[in-house]
Amino acid sequence: MSSENNNSKKNNSGSNGSPQRFQPKVLLVYLVIVAAILTIWFANPGAGSNVKQLTISELVEAIKAGQIAEDGGVMEPEPSYGRDGYVISGEMTNPSLSEVVDDLASASEIPAQIRFSARGRLTEDDFLLVREVLTEKRATTGFQDVLISFLPFLLIVGLLYFLFVRQLKSAGKGAMSFGKSKAKMLTREKDSTTFKDVAGCDEAKEEVSEVVDFLKDPKKFQRIGGKIPKGVLMVGPPGTGKTLLAKAVAGEAEVPFFSISGSDFVEMFVGVGAARVRDMFEQGRKNAPCIVFIDEIDAVGRQRGSGVGGGNDEREQTLNSLLVEMDGFDGHEGVIIIAATNRPDVLDNALLRPGRFDRQVTIDLPDLNGRHEILLVHAKKIALAEEVNLEHVARNTPGFSGADLANLLNEGALIAARFNKKAVEMNDIDEARDKISFGRERRKLMDDEDRKIIAFHEAGHALIKGVLDDGHMPVHKVTIIPRGQSLGSTMFMPKKDTLNHSKRRLIDDICCTLGGRAAEEIVLGDITSGASGDIQMASRTARHMVCDWGMSDLGMVALGQSQSGGYLGHGAVTAKNYSEETAQKIDVIIRDMIQDQYNRALKIINDKRNALDVIAQSLLEHETIDGKHVLEIIEHGEMRSPIVKREIPVEELEEDEEEGEVPKKPTKEDNDNSGLAGEEAPAPA
């Protein structure tokens, strides 16, 4: 234990530790320089502009007149004036006071004592007179004179040495430290993350638990000839807890944890990345058993020779060094390499082979139970009201990652704090979910015409969804209050995680997406540019159905295969692997599919015109209605449940007023960019 502590102290105090903000040596040097300057300044008796210069005879007269008190100065031998030469300095009564003795106002402005200085030879009588009043100092030696003469020169040389030579030495040390690893070591005392702090990824915890068992008891595996994987690669979307799980492994095993980012290996100097890789592994061997965690390894482990014009020689050199070091690792050393990335498709194949990263642990988005467990972990630090049902919150947040759920509870706490609540209520969490998913409410000032257009547009979406939905994704909320980039929103909330998309539901989604445009045409007799986003969603869904999912008369053929590995890894490149005749057929099928669903939307709205008008009037009156109100209007022709309105804080209203001081009518450009509907299109499978 003592050796481990010593090693940790060395690592913490080395190049990876925090820089010293206070250096006593530097302060001491500055104090010495200031003291020397002050000594030289005050050592000169004639220094200063308020010193009165006297001759020897004037000095003697002043002593005789009693203007110089006893011990009122010093006399010091001066060899430059001969054997009897002296330099005399001190304080005397100001002779100017005798001239203004009658004028009290002027006398108060003149100092009573002034400094004087006199130089010259003293006769024997004058010497005896002066010595009775002033203090005599012994003569300085030749060494002292030389030292005093050369002291300013020595101070200048010392200052130059301190400013330039020392800085050059420190710069040299900094240049040599470029090859040192920037890995930060976290010990048990600093980081106490365990598996209890990680939720929503039980399968991943089971896979990495073998690493913990090996670090605790390596002989258990070595006894039967088993070898622990040298490297574990964690793959998953951002925010799913890859870094947190790696810290939990180190916390459970109670071993040092070295953390470094893939970008820390990249520097402007050639060979620095490879040197840092070697130094990182050397630190790991000294602190074995330990865990070395490399976050965002795709920054350094990208496939060699990729991109335009060949690869990056410096990055490839760093990758080669990483591959060699992992090959040289003995499995019995107790050093485990854990890496994380959300781009496993761009990693080099040599990095993924057995013997380097033997195991890949996939950490996907949490399911319903996983989201519930994550919410329970984060809810420990937040004051929740008794009415808050975290299971209901987990059911209404499909597709949320662990980071999104933590942000959800935090936003709910911030909203509750704005209303001066003592605990977070359910409506606060609902508002936080809507804010994260669709954007913050913007109280943009609109005239009656714009409000009417938006109300009927959103009523068209809600009506068709309420008629066609089979309970899988009902209407959650309809609002004409601008959120994010949209002027109005129709929000859907799936009852469960969507793993597959059926053809019938996709067709219904296209019809619902075109419901806003259909309502505008029927009610207003005209169409607006507000449906631009709806048209894009419908076209994208229809193209996926025809080209990717085989849901058309063209058959089960993949038309337009995606090829990964685009320029610098920017998504995928779609190759056109079909003829022009097929391309024309695809365009015709997509256009007919969208037109059929648009005609279907027109028929539904015409049949349910009364319900459309009631929904629109309710939106104009209340601005926001829930999904249950839409179903009540469709079934009974009116709303039967009360509407709970959320009060808006005064400061929030003031911010909105500042953002829109004058009524602004949406322009064609604004509508083309944002659209009126806020629902999401079905995600491609």
Side-chain angles (χ1 to χ4, degrees), residues 4 13 33 140 184 255 323 331 363 419 429 488 491 556 561:
E4 294 179 2
S13 62
I33 294 174
T140 58
K184 301 177 181 179
V255 296
L323 298 176
I363 305 176
F419 287 95
I429 297 179
M491 308 174 191
M556 295 176 290
Q561 296 179 352

Side-chain angles (χ1 to χ4, degrees), residues 267-282:
E267 279 287 354
M268 62 180 294
F269 300 104
V270 178
V272 172
R276 287 181 176 176
V277 170
R278 292 190 293 269
D279 186 72
M280 180 188 67
F281 279 88
E282 185 65 27

Side-chain angles (χ1 to χ4, degrees), residues 223-270:
R223 192 178 300 112
I224 58 177
K227 295 182 179 179
I228 199 68
K230 291 184 179 180
V232 178
L233 181 63
M234 295 184 179
V235 180
T240 52
K242 299 183 292 293
T243 304
L244 182 64
L245 183 58
K247 291 183 179 180
V249 172
E252 288 287 339
E254 299 183 358
V255 296
F257 179 80
F258 289 91
S259 176
I260 191 172
S261 175
S263 60
D264 291 336
F265 295 108
V266 182
E267 279 287 354
M268 62 180 294
F269 300 104
V270 178

Side-chain angles (χ1 to χ4, degrees), residues 165-428:
V165 179
R166 292 288 300 273
Q167 293 298 324
L168 290 176
K169 288 184 177 180
S170 62
K173 294 179 180 179
M176 296 300 295
S177 65
F178 276 120
K180 299 295 183 181
S181 174
K182 293 185 177 182
K184 301 177 181 179
M185 189 179 74
L186 301 178
T187 58
R188 181 66 175 174
E189 292 77 15
K190 295 183 179 180
D191 185 71
S192 58
T193 305
T194 60
F195 283 158
K196 296 180 180 179
D197 303 319
V198 183
C201 52
D202 297 335
E203 295 82 3
K205 286 196 293 186
E206 291 178 1
E207 290 197 52
V208 298
S209 60
E210 295 181 2
V211 176
V212 178
D213 295 338
F214 174 80
L215 293 174
K216 288 185 175 180
D217 186 16
K219 295 182 180 180
K220 174 183 177 182
F221 298 87
Q222 298 172 0
R223 192 178 300 112
I224 58 177
K227 295 182 179 179
I228 199 68
K230 291 184 179 180
V232 178
L233 181 63
M234 295 184 179
V235 180
T240 52
K242 299 183 292 293
T243 304
L244 182 64
L245 183 58
K247 291 183 179 180
V249 172
E252 288 287 339
E254 299 183 358
V255 296
F257 179 80
F258 289 91
S259 176
I260 191 172
S261 175
S263 60
D264 291 336
F265 295 108
V266 182
E267 279 287 354
M268 62 180 294
F269 300 104
V270 178
V272 172
R276 287 181 176 176
V277 170
R278 292 190 293 269
D279 186 72
M280 180 188 67
F281 279 88
E282 185 65 27
Q283 291 185 24
R285 293 186 182 95
K286 292 180 180 178
N287 293 273
C290 67
I291 292 177
V292 179
F293 177 67
I294 305 175
D295 198 8
E296 305 295 343
I297 195 174
D298 52 278
V300 67
R302 195 177 290 268
Q303 192 172 13
R304 289 170 290 186
S306 60
V308 180
N312 189 314
D313 292 338
E314 174 60 19
R315 190 182 66 223
E316 292 181 2
Q317 185 177 356
T318 305
L319 177 59
N320 292 334
S321 178
L322 179 62
L323 298 176
V324 171
E325 290 292 336
M326 294 190 69
D327 277 340
F329 246 15
D330 187 4
H332 302 289
E333 291 181 350
V335 180
I336 307 297
I337 307 297
I338 300 179
T341 181
N342 51 18
R343 293 294 309 276
D345 54 316
V346 301
L347 295 179
D348 195 273
N349 294 329
L351 194 63
L352 303 177
R353 75 161 178 83
R356 287 171 179 149
F357 284 105
D358 307 84
R359 181 174 299 180
Q360 292 191 21
V361 179
T362 302
I363 305 176
D364 207 348
L365 294 174
D367 55 3
L368 177 60
N369 296 328
R371 292 195 298 272
H372 186 211
E373 294 176 358
I374 293 173
L375 289 172
L376 290 175
V377 172
H378 293 292
K380 296 178 181 178
K381 302 178 181 179
I382 296 178
L384 298 178
E386 295 181 357
E387 63 174 2
V388 176
N389 188 355
L390 294 180
E391 186 176 357
H392 178 71
V393 176
R395 189 176 300 277
N396 292 334
T397 52
F400 276 48
S401 64
D404 294 332
L405 295 173
N407 185 38
L408 173 66
L409 294 180
N410 184 63
E411 286 289 342
L414 296 179
I415 294 174
R418 284 203 299 268
F419 287 95
N420 297 321
K421 298 180 180 179
K422 296 182 180 180
V424 181
E425 300 176 355
M426 196 65 188
N427 56 351
D428 300 325

